[in-house]
Amino acid sequence: MRNLAAARGGFSLLLLLSALAGACSETLTQPTEIRLPAGFALEVFAENVPDARSMALSPNGILYVGNRRGDSVYAIEIEAGGRRAGRMHRIASGLSMPNGVAWHEGSLYVAAINRILRYEGIDERLENPPAPVVVVDDLPTDKHHGWKYIAFGPDGQLYVPIGAPCNICDAEGYALIMRMAPDGSNREVVARGVRNSVGFDWHPDSGDFWFTDNGRDMLGDDLPPCELNHLPIAGEHFGYPYCHGAEVSDPEYGSQRPCSEFRQPAMELGPHVAPLGMKFYTGSMFPEAYRGHVFIAEHGSWNRSKKIGYRVTLVRLKEGRAVSYETFADGWLEGEEASGRPVDILQMPDGSLLVSDDMGDRIYRIFYTG
C-alpha cells in the first residue's frame, strides 16, 4: 500500500484527541491524533457505546447501534442539532450477535445470527421497548461470518448477506447476498460468490448496488485483495471460493472454475484490510470533490505480519466506474499499536459522517470546517 502512503503527503494533522476515561479498557491505547485532509476535523460524538458496530438513523434523530460481541442494541438520543450524542438506552438484549440495524417506515429492523426482528414504533418507546415482531427466523445459525449488515434499498426491499461459514469452502446456501420484502417474503439471491459482505449502499444516480467483501485468509501478507464490488444486474457471481480479486486463483478451488467466469471487483482494496461499512457521499457539507464517491471503514488486518487498515478510505468514481483508492482518515494504527477499528459509516442530515469504532467503544463525527 505504498501508493496510499504517498498520497498522504498533502494531508495535514487537524485534531488532537484527549484520552477519555472509561471509553476503553485499560489495555487499549487511546487515540492521540487522527490525520485528515486539510479542512476536515474529527471529534468524539459518543463514547461508552459497547462494541459500536452498524448504525441506523431514524427521521426523528434517534441513532441505533448494533454490536457483535455483545447481545444488545442501543438507541442514542442526539442533541446540539445533530452534533452530539445525548442519552443512551438499551432497547434490546439477549440477542445473538445483533450486528445489523436498519430503519424502515417507522420500525427498527435488527439482524441477529439466524433471525431478523422488527421493533415497531421504537422511537416513542425507548424507555419501554415493545416486544419484537419476528420477520425471519430460518437463516443459518453458523456464527463464523454469521453477523450481518442489513439495509433497505431504493426498491423498498431488505438486503441481507449470508457469509461463508469458513475461511474457504464451497457451501451451498452461503457466500451470497439476498433481498426480501419487509415481511420476509419473496426472497431472491442478488449476488453469489461473496465471502463476507458487512457493508453496502446504492449509487445515488444509477441506483446500482455496491458492496464491500472481505478476502480470504492464509495466503500470505499480500494476497488476496479485499474488494469493493458493483452489481449492475442481479444474479452475478463474484468468484468466491474459486477466485479472489480480479485474478487470484484459489489454491484449493481455483482449478474448478477460472477467474474469467466471474465479475471482477470494481476496485481491489488492500490485502486483509477488512472493509466493512461503506457509503456514497451525497451531502452538501463536504467540498464538491467528495460528492458521489465512496467512503469505506476498514476494520484492519489480523492475518498479516504487519498490520494494515484501521482507517477510513475513499474510492473515487468517474462516469460510474471506480478509478482511484486513497486514505481519507488514519491514525488509529501507529506502527503495530491500534487504538481503534472503524466499522460503519453513516451520513448525518447536515452532511457530516459518523464512524463507529468497536475497539474504542466510540462513535466519531467527521466534519468539514473549510
Side-chain angles (χ1 to χ4, degrees):
M1 303 304 297
R2 293 187 181 89
N3 59 324
L4 292 185
R8 308 298 292 134
F11 287 6
S12 61
L13 299 182
L14 293 178
L15 183 68
L16 295 180
L17 295 177
S18 61
L20 298 174
C24 311
S25 67
E26 293 181 358
T27 60
L28 181 63
T29 302
Q30 299 286 353
T32 56
E33 56 184 32
I34 303 297
R35 292 175 287 270
L36 291 157
F40 287 88
L42 177 146
E43 62 188 3
V44 175
F45 177 83
E47 57 181 332
N48 300 315
V49 185
D51 191 45
R53 295 278 297 188
S54 297
M55 299 179 289
L57 183 68
S58 79
N60 294 326
I62 306 299
L63 179 67
Y64 294 94
V65 187
N67 68 51
R68 189 186 75 176
R69 292 191 295 267
D71 67 351
S72 301
V73 177
Y74 299 90
I76 301 174
E77 299 179 50
I78 298 177
E79 301 174 346
R83 298 189 300 274
R84 184 176 66 245
R87 187 177 179 189
M88 185 170 71
H89 309 259
R90 185 165 67 174
I91 57 97
S93 61
L95 305 179
S96 179
M97 293 185 173
N99 180 88
V101 289
W103 185 264
H104 183 67
E105 295 185 347
S107 295
L108 177 71
Y109 287 70
V110 175
I113 292 292
N114 66 319
R115 299 193 300 164
I116 297 176
L117 308 174
R118 184 175 69 245
Y119 293 81
E120 298 176 348
I122 184 64
D123 269 8
E124 291 76 35
R125 298 191 59 184
L126 299 180
E127 298 283 359
N128 182 28
V133 175
V134 178
V135 178
V136 171
D137 65 358
D138 60 351
L139 300 178
T141 58
D142 309 79
K143 289 189 175 181
H144 194 125
H145 297 154
W147 56 92
K148 294 172 176 61
Y149 179 94
I150 58 172
F152 280 89
D155 55 5
Q157 301 291 291
L158 177 62
Y159 285 68
V160 182
I162 307 295
C166 54
N167 174 37
I168 186 74
C169 60
D170 189 1
E172 183 67 26
Y174 294 86
L176 56 84
I177 301 174
M178 68 169 67
R179 65 184 171 193
M180 62 185 71
D183 64 1
S185 64
N186 300 323
R187 302 182 201 181
E188 174 193 11
V189 175
V190 297
R192 300 184 186 276
V194 181
R195 180 176 178 268
N196 185 36
S197 178
V198 198
F200 36 81
D201 198 9
W202 289 263
H203 191 283
D205 296 324
S206 69
D208 285 355
F209 183 61
W210 291 65
F211 61 93
T212 58
D213 193 13
N214 287 246
R216 67 155 292 177
D217 300 310
M218 307 305 176
L219 290 186
D221 276 3
D222 300 320
L223 290 175
C226 292
E227 301 172 6
L228 173 65
N229 289 301
H230 171 207
L231 177 72
I233 302 173
E236 295 206 65
H237 197 296
F238 288 83
Y240 179 88
Y242 313 101
C243 179
H244 314 288
E247 55 186 19
V248 179
S249 181
D250 188 79
E252 184 174 350
Y253 291 95
S255 61
Q256 299 180 26
R257 298 180 67 178
C259 289
S260 59
E261 288 190 13
F262 309 113
R263 183 169 182 84
Q264 294 192 350
M267 178 64 69
E268 291 188 341
L269 309 179
H272 308 293
V273 297
L276 301 186
M278 60 150 285
K279 283 292 181 293
F280 283 97
Y281 186 76
T282 60
S284 59
M285 176 185 283
F286 291 9
E288 181 67 31
Y290 292 92
R291 297 174 196 166
H293 304 299
V294 180
F295 287 89
I296 301 175
E298 294 188 354
H299 199 228
S301 62
W302 68 268
N303 182 229
R304 207 168 186 275
S305 63
K306 293 185 178 181
K307 292 177 182 176
I308 189 175
Y310 303 85
R311 62 193 174 188
V312 175
T313 53
L314 177 68
V315 172
R316 296 185 183 274
L317 276 64
K318 183 177 182 180
E319 297 178 353
R321 297 174 60 89
V323 296
S324 67
Y325 170 47
E326 63 195 62
T327 298
F328 175 75
D330 67 357
W332 288 282
L333 178 67
E334 295 295 343
E336 293 296 298
E337 296 297 322
S339 60
R341 303 189 76 179
V343 176
D344 197 15
I345 295 175
L346 178 74
Q347 181 178 302
M348 295 293 281
D350 67 354
S352 61
L353 293 181
L354 298 186
V355 179
S356 58
D357 169 10
D358 66 350
M359 185 178 188
D361 297 339
R362 287 176 174 171
I363 298 172
Y364 299 93
R365 177 176 177 262
I366 297 176
F367 56 101
Y368 186 70
T369 65

